[in-house]
């Protein structure tokens, strides 16, 4: 099948296959024929539509944080709490690490993400390149994995259920705001830096380079803008290069990926022990006090009859961290042993680790909300324990370990043949006419 050499190229970020990108019809999705990963999707939204969604999300963000997410009443005393209240009380109680982690992931970074989107979508919708576009896209790529508004929303629900048995707890306007904000941020999550760069290409405000791979060169994509470019075949795969379009640092393969992933993973294992042994929450009241570990909290929810919430907390705070640790160990060992079998299932496993990464922060958000709602001086006080900080560190380290791992190294073991291929298109009635070049 003849290839149209004028079509831009796209790299599969999981197996490094290179394809020629073409327009999709309504409902179609292009997938990599090698590893099965989604390459790009059809979108009927224009830049103006995305801008409207981002503006709406910023307004809802302000409402969600201006109003309390819940209120608690004990013996005529009422305590209301917003996310910022919870962060401030946790800081006041002397748990600065927990306060910083939750404040950044729940408020500062999502606000920064929305601000970056507005900064670039406004000019792009008018056909202009935004000022500092290259730097803004690098920043957006760094922010996206660490924005945890959906996790905070689930944390509010768990905290309300936990306190409902001992006091009168009611949801606030902020909870509805965070529910709507979660929906909007999930939609805006489709706007990755690569997608925005493709919108900019379509608008004609950024250049598109179509490299040709010769016998002395290999093709690889920029992790910031997605621009595929040719690098020397015989060079060091971990050598530093710069993108021909956005000037970001480009490597054919991530430098020292295995050593970095192992180091971060082993550090996470070390912190995983105190995260489960030390209490994540301490309760003091006129009737006495107590400390609760993660498993202790699950058992307490189950005993209260909230087995569904107990199951959610168990999955997010026990099963997910352990699954991430074991999955990363398996991925690292199979690559280290030079195994080229079951590459597609291993790719699905890595994608699962990426997806579930942030949900382990659930218990940490639950603790700070309980601390804010039960802040009745002299009557009842809940504060974070040493396990909460350790657990948050485990989440961060496992996410960094997954980001450091280079799955393309595993696919390299399959071979280095260059093929003519086409991406698999789902939802259409006929295969695309454009040819694709694949390079393992």
């Amino acid at each position: 099948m003849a290839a149209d050499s004028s079509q831009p190229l796209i790299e599969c970020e999981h197996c490094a296959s290179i394809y020629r990108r073409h327009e999709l019809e309504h409902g179609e999705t292009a997938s990599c024929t090698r590893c099965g990963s989604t390459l790009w999707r059809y979108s009927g939204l224009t830049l103006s539509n995305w801008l409207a969604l981002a503006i709406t999300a910023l307004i809802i963000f302000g409402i969600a944080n201006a109003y309390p997410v819940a209120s608690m009443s004990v013996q005529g005393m009422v305590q209301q709490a917003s996310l910022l209240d919870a962060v401030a009380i946790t800081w006041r109680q002397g748990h600065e690490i927990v306060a910083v982690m939750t404040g950044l992931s729940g408020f500062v970074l999502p606000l920064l993400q929305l601000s970056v989107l507005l900064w670039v979508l406004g000019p792009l919708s008018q056909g202009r390149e935004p000022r500092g576009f290259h730097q803004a896209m690098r920043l957006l790529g760094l922010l996206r994995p660490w924005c945890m508004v959906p996790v905070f929303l689930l944390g509010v629900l768990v905290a309300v259920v936990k306190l409902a048995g001992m006091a009168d707890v009611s949801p606030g306007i902020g909870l509805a705001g965070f529910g709507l904000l979660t929906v909007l941020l999930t939609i805006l999550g489709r706007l990755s830096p690569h997608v925005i760069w493709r919108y900019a290409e379509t608008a004609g405000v950024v250049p598109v380079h179509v490299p040709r791979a010769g016998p002395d060169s290999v093709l690889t994509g920029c992790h910031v803008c997605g621009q595929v470019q040719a690098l020397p075949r015989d060079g060091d795969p971990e050598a530093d290069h710069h993108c021909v379009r956005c000037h970001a640092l480009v490597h054919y393969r991530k430098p020292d990926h295995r050593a970095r992933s192992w180091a971060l993973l082993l550090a996470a294992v070390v912190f995983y022990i105190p995260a489960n042994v030390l209490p994540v929450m301490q309760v003091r009241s006129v009737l006495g006090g107590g400390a609760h570990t993660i498993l202790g909290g699950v058992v307490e929810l189950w005993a209260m009859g909230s087995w569904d919430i107990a199951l959610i907390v168990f999955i997010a705070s026990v099963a997910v961290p352990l699954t991430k640790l074991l999955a990363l160990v398996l991925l690292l060992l199979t690559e280290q042993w030079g195994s080229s079998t079951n590459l597609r299932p291993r790719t699905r496993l890595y994608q699962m680790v990426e997806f579930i990464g942030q949900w382990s922060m659930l218990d940490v958000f639950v603790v700070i909300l309980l601390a804010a709602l039960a802040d009745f001086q002299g009557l009842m006080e809940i504060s974070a324990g040493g396990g909460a900080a350790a657990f948050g560190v485990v989440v961060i380290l496992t996410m960094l370990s997954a980001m450091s791992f280079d799955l393309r190294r595993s696919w390299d073991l399959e071979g280095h043949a260059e093929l003519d291929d086409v991406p698999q298109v789902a939802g259409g009635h006929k295969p695309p006419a454009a040819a694709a070049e694949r390079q393992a």
Side-chain angles (χ1 to χ4, degrees):
M1 190 179 292
D4 180 359
S5 60
S6 65
Q7 288 179 311
L9 304 181
I10 185 171
E11 180 196 39
C12 174
E13 62 181 8
H14 291 115
C15 70
S17 298
I18 305 293
Y19 296 95
R20 294 196 182 278
R21 199 176 76 243
H22 57 86
E23 294 298 323
L24 297 177
E25 297 179 359
H26 179 76
E28 288 185 335
T29 299
S31 301
C32 177
T33 58
R34 192 183 188 199
C35 72
S37 300
T38 299
L39 296 172
W40 71 97
R41 294 182 174 91
Y42 170 85
S43 175
L45 296 178
T46 65
L47 284 168
S48 296
N49 298 146
W50 286 115
L51 177 61
L53 282 172
I55 293 173
T56 304
L58 186 61
I59 295 171
I60 299 300
F61 181 90
I63 295 173
N65 284 280
Y67 290 90
V69 294
S71 62
M72 177 175 173
S73 177
V74 177
Q75 297 182 0
M77 296 183 293
V78 178
Q79 181 69 35
Q80 296 180 328
S82 65
L83 170 60
L84 294 179
D85 292 332
V87 172
I89 290 173
T90 303
W91 181 280
R92 190 191 68 198
Q93 292 174 341
H95 302 284
E96 292 85 358
I97 295 177
V98 177
V100 169
M101 287 190 296
T102 52
L104 285 175
S105 59
F107 181 84
V108 176
L109 299 185
L111 177 59
L112 197 54
Q113 180 185 10
L114 289 174
S115 301
V116 171
L117 285 174
L118 289 173
W119 179 267
V120 300
L121 290 176
L124 284 177
S125 64
Q126 299 173 2
R128 296 184 291 107
E129 180 178 349
R131 183 178 299 177
F133 183 53
H134 300 180
Q135 293 78 9
M137 289 298 93
R138 294 181 205 177
L139 179 59
L140 181 63
L142 294 173
L143 293 173
R144 279 163 49 86
W146 305 102
C147 298
M148 303 184 185
V149 169
V151 185
F152 172 73
L153 174 64
L154 184 57
V156 175
L157 300 177
V158 173
V160 168
V161 171
K162 274 197 170 189
L163 291 174
M166 63 180 72
D168 182 18
V169 182
S170 58
I173 297 176
L175 180 59
F178 272 106
L180 182 55
L181 180 62
T182 297
V183 174
L184 292 171
L185 288 179
T186 301
I187 298 173
L188 288 169
R190 293 287 186 92
L191 274 184
S192 67
H194 287 190
V195 172
I196 295 177
W197 273 97
R198 290 201 287 272
Y199 271 109
E201 292 173 9
T202 304
V205 299
V206 296
V208 181
H209 303 277
V210 183
R212 295 183 179 275
D216 298 326
S217 62
V218 291
L219 298 178
T220 192
C222 172
H223 71 284
V224 175
C225 70
Q227 172 65 56
V228 174
Q229 46 218 291
L231 300 178
R233 179 179 293 274
D234 297 330
D236 182 0
E238 299 180 356
D240 293 348
H241 303 276
H242 287 88
C243 177
V244 296
R245 181 165 65 178
C246 73
H247 311 298
L249 201 61
V250 173
H251 302 100
Y252 182 65
R253 295 295 180 263
K254 294 179 182 179
D256 301 322
H257 85 108
R258 194 187 303 160
R260 294 184 183 185
S261 295
W262 271 120
L264 291 164
L265 183 60
L266 292 176
V269 171
V270 171
F271 278 96
Y272 187 71
I273 298 172
N276 286 274
V277 174
L278 297 177
V280 294
M281 181 176 67
Q282 295 177 334
V283 181
R284 290 180 291 274
S285 68
V286 293
L287 301 177
H292 299 266
T293 61
I294 293 175
L295 281 175
V298 173
V299 172
E300 181 183 351
L301 283 169
W302 189 279
M304 292 168 55
S306 302
W307 60 268
D308 47 351
I309 301 296
L311 184 60
I312 291 174
V313 175
F314 177 81
I315 292 173
S317 301
V318 179
V320 166
L322 191 58
T323 300
K324 285 194 299 182
L325 292 173
L326 295 176
L328 286 170
V329 168
L330 177 62
L331 290 169
L332 283 163
L333 286 178
T334 50
E335 196 249 296
Q336 193 164 325
W337 292 338
S339 172
S340 60
T341 60
N342 299 316
L343 286 172
R344 274 207 170 200
R346 283 154 59 184
T347 301
R348 300 289 88 75
L349 182 63
Y350 179 73
Q351 290 172 327
M352 181 201 69
V353 170
E354 287 186 309
F355 176 75
I356 66 177
Q358 60 179 231
W359 287 97
S360 300
M361 282 290 287
L362 174 63
D363 247 344
V364 182
F365 279 116
V366 170
V367 168
I368 69 165
L369 280 164
L370 292 175
L373 287 171
D375 186 34
F376 298 100
Q377 297 294 329
L379 181 63
M380 176 186 294
E381 185 176 352
I382 296 177
S383 62
F391 200 78
V393 173
V394 171
V395 176
I396 294 171
L397 290 173
T398 51
M399 290 179 67
L400 289 174
S401 178
M403 293 175 189
S404 300
F405 182 71
D406 195 343
L407 188 63
R408 297 172 298 180
R409 287 285 194 179
S410 299
W411 282 98
D412 288 343
L413 300 171
E414 188 186 54
H416 296 270
E418 296 182 10
L419 309 174
D420 283 340
D421 207 350
V422 292
Q424 180 180 352
V425 176
H429 302 290
K430 57 183 180 180
E437 296 170 294
R438 190 182 85 178
Q439 177 179 298

